[in-house]
Amino acid sequence: MIKPVYRVQCDGPGKEWLSLPDGYVPGTDLMAGVLIAAATAERAGNWPGEREAQRAAVGAGWRPAVGSDFRTWLCPACPACQGAGPTTSEEKTA
């Protein structure tokens, strides 16, 4: 049976992928904070659903673009994305 997996790619100019860090051993626990941005999808994380992919992205510091429907994400490693500003009114007032 073929099962879909979900990956996260930056919607900014870098188009980087939310990826597993070097040295990761498959089957071991992986905290979202250690996920990295990578230029290729070679080590991109595979999540079983869109919700899990979103949770991993948020945990790694990624965030939806301003006005997005959670299908576009900004990567914290990309300087252009870092300057994109807050995504919600709550963040503006925080």
Side-chain angles (χ1 to χ4, degrees):
M1 174 169 58
I2 297 174
K3 292 185 179 181
V5 294
Y6 293 81
R7 293 180 170 184
V8 178
Q9 184 181 24
C10 175
D11 197 47
K15 300 293 183 198
E16 294 185 320
W17 295 86
L18 185 62
S19 298
L20 304 171
D22 291 336
Y24 170 69
V25 178
T28 59
D29 288 341
L30 182 67
M31 301 301 291
V34 303
L35 296 170
I36 59 172
T40 70
E42 180 181 0
R43 295 185 57 81
N46 297 324
W47 288 275
E50 186 175 354
R51 180 178 293 177
E52 290 83 4
Q54 289 175 4
R55 285 180 179 164
V58 169
W62 293 45
R63 56 192 169 81
V66 175
S68 79
D69 58 1
F70 289 91
R71 290 191 179 93
T72 54
W73 293 87
L74 299 178
C75 164
C78 175
C81 291
Q82 288 178 4
T87 61
T88 66
S89 59
E90 290 81 15
E91 287 183 11
K92 290 177 187 173
T93 58

